Amino acid sequence: MALWLKEGPDSDVVISTRARLARNMKGVAFPAIIKGTPKAKEVMRPAIETFVENADFRFIGMKEIEPIERARLTEDHIISKDLAMREDGAVIVSPDESLSIMLMEEDAYRLQCMLPGLQTDKALSLVSELDKMLGKNVEYAYDDELGFLTGCITNVGTGLRMSAMLHLPALTMTHAINRLIQQVGQLGLTVRGIYGEGSEASGNIYQISNQLTLGLSEAEIIQNVRAVVENLVEQERRLRRELMTEKHLDMCDAICRALAILKSARKMDTKEALRLLSSVNIGISEKVISGMTSAEIYNTILAVLPANLSRKGMTAEQRDERRAQLLRKMTAKAVIVEE
C-alpha cells in the first residue's frame, strides 16, 4: 500500500501525478558507459550524502535486495524496469516513497515526486526542491543552448517528464480511447499502459506524459499535460454519466456483479482483479457503491499485483488464493446503494 496515495484533486479519474527530472554529472560519462566502474560510486556519493546522511531517506542498492523486492518497487512505480535489472543501480526513497532518486539508470540521477490526483504544479515544486538540494553538491551536465544533457535525446532540455495516471473505463468501453490517443500524440504527448512504454492498459489505466523536453519550458510542459488531462477527465466523466443513463440496468448489473465476486471469490488472477476493481470504481464515482473511495481502490490495485502479494516459495495458485483473500478484506466495507 502506497502511503502517499490518498484522495487528491480529480481522484475519481486521476490516480496520480508524477514529475521526474533527469540529471547527469558534468565531466562524467553517462551510466551506460561507466556502469561497473569506480566512477559509478563517485556519481552516487553526493546523492547519498545529501539525502541519506543528512535527511530521512533510505538507500536501496539493487544488488542488496531480492528480485521480488525489485519487482515490488517497479509495481509501485518507485523504480523502472531498467533499474531493476541493473546490479550496480540504486534508489533513494523518502519514508512514504512519494519522493525518490534513481541512481545509475539511463541517467545518473532521476529525481521524482508522486502525488495523488492531478497536482502538476505541486509535484514539480517538490521535485525541484530535490533538484536544488542535490545541485548544491553536484555540478550538472548542462549546455547553454541545449539545456540539461541526458542519456536519451528526448529528455534533453529541461529533463522534465510530467505524467499522470488515469482510470478511463468509459473511454475504453465506448472505443473512444484509440481516437484520443492519436489526438494526444499530435499535441506532443504520449499515452501508454500502466507501466509506461510497451505495457498494456490493464484495468483501463493509462499513463499520459510529454514526449519532448527540448524547446519547451517547464511551465509549458506542465500546461500542455494538464490541459490534455483535464480534457480527458471531462470526457471520461461525461461518458460515465451517459452510460449510466442509456444503459443503466446493464451498468448497474456489471458493477454489482463485480463487487459481489470481489467479496466472495476464493482465487483470482491479476487480470480479473483489475477488471473487477475498475468496474467497482465506476460504481463509486456514480454513487452506485458507497463505503469505499477511489483512492482505496487504487491502493487495492497496487496491493494485489504479483510482487506485492508474493512471498518466497509461493506458487501462482497460492498467490491467486492470497489475492482473493485480500480482496475480500479490502472490499468488505463497500456496499451497494439501494435505488
Side-chain angles (χ1 to χ4, degrees):
M1 184 172 181
L3 296 177
W4 59 269
L5 186 48
K6 303 175 182 177
E7 285 294 299
D10 302 307
S11 274
D12 57 319
V13 178
V14 185
I15 300 172
S16 61
T17 303
R18 181 182 69 178
R20 192 191 72 199
L21 295 173
R23 299 289 187 260
N24 287 283
M25 184 182 286
K26 182 179 180 180
V28 178
F30 296 145
I33 297 174
I34 66 170
K35 62 180 180 180
T37 71
K39 281 289 184 182
K41 293 183 178 180
E42 182 183 325
V43 165
M44 288 187 183
R45 189 176 300 113
I48 295 171
E49 292 173 350
T50 302
F51 297 103
V52 180
E53 296 178 4
N54 295 308
D56 194 21
F57 282 63
R58 290 181 296 134
F59 175 88
I60 304 172
M62 294 299 103
K63 66 180 179 181
E64 299 167 2
I65 58 176
E66 295 291 331
I68 192 67
E69 176 61 9
R70 297 189 197 185
R72 197 277 298 177
L73 290 169
T74 303
E75 285 182 353
D76 289 353
H77 301 278
I78 307 303
I79 66 173
S80 64
K81 291 181 180 179
D82 287 343
L83 184 63
M85 294 186 292
R86 295 188 181 222
E87 290 293 323
D88 62 341
V91 65
I92 295 172
V93 295
S94 65
D96 67 353
E97 297 184 339
S98 64
L99 300 172
S100 60
I101 305 100
M102 288 189 286
L103 306 175
M104 291 295 295
E105 202 241 25
E106 189 175 56
D107 296 289
Y109 315 106
R110 285 199 164 182
L111 307 96
Q112 74 171 19
C113 171
M114 294 187 292
L115 295 174
L118 183 57
Q119 301 191 69
T120 52
D121 291 338
K122 186 175 180 179
L124 177 60
S125 175
L126 290 173
V127 81
S128 294
E129 285 300 313
L130 295 184
D131 189 34
K132 291 176 183 176
M133 291 171 67
L134 182 58
K136 293 178 180 178
N137 293 326
V138 177
E139 186 175 3
Y140 292 137
Y142 186 86
D143 181 88
D144 289 338
E145 292 186 5
L146 297 175
F148 292 100
L149 304 179
T150 58
C152 179
I153 193 169
T154 57
N155 290 323
V156 171
T158 61
L160 171 64
R161 287 279 180 172
M162 180 63 68
S163 63
M165 197 79 70
L166 279 68
H167 181 226
L168 304 174
L171 283 166
T172 304
M173 291 164 61
T174 56
H175 306 291
I177 193 69
N178 293 328
R179 171 178 53 82
L180 288 170
I181 287 174
Q182 293 179 342
Q183 293 176 350
V184 167
Q186 293 171 357
L187 295 173
L189 276 69
T190 184
V191 182
R192 295 169 174 164
I194 186 171
Y195 289 106
E197 189 172 3
S199 64
E200 297 181 357
S202 301
N204 302 311
I205 296 173
Y206 299 83
Q207 189 178 148
I208 315 293
S209 65
N210 58 301
Q211 287 183 302
L212 299 174
T213 67
L214 183 62
L216 295 171
S217 67
E218 292 178 343
E220 289 172 325
I221 291 172
I222 286 180
Q223 183 178 359
N224 291 344
V225 172
R226 188 175 186 92
V228 168
V229 170
E230 287 177 339
N231 182 266
L232 289 172
V233 168
E234 182 181 346
Q235 293 192 56
E236 172 66 24
R237 286 173 176 164
R238 175 178 56 79
L239 284 173
R240 289 185 192 183
R241 291 193 297 269
E242 289 180 4
L243 286 170
M244 290 300 298
T245 299
E246 297 170 6
K247 300 182 178 182
H248 183 75
L249 183 59
D250 289 339
M251 289 295 293
C252 287
D253 183 63
I255 291 166
C256 294
R257 283 175 183 268
L259 182 60
I261 294 171
L262 290 169
K263 281 176 167 285
S264 60
R266 262 39 188 180
K267 62 179 293 188
M268 189 174 296
D269 64 26
T270 306
K271 188 173 183 179
E272 183 181 13
L274 267 58
R275 177 176 60 81
L276 295 174
L277 287 168
S278 177
S279 292
V280 170
N281 195 43
I282 297 179
I284 292 170
S285 70
E286 298 306 308
K287 313 301 182 187
V288 177
I289 292 174
S290 65
M292 283 190 79
T293 65
S294 289
E296 288 173 323
I297 290 293
Y298 303 145
N299 268 299
T300 303
I301 287 173
L302 288 179
V304 300
L305 293 175
N308 275 305
L309 275 177
S310 293
R311 299 294 181 269
K312 191 172 183 179
M314 183 178 284
T315 66
E317 186 172 18
Q318 288 172 329
R319 188 171 62 227
D320 289 349
E321 182 181 359
R322 179 177 168 81
R323 178 178 294 108
Q325 182 183 31
L326 183 60
L327 286 166
R328 294 197 304 271
K329 178 181 178 181
M330 298 187 83
T331 59
K333 61 181 181 179
V335 295
I336 296 168
V337 177
E338 296 297 331
E339 298 185 40

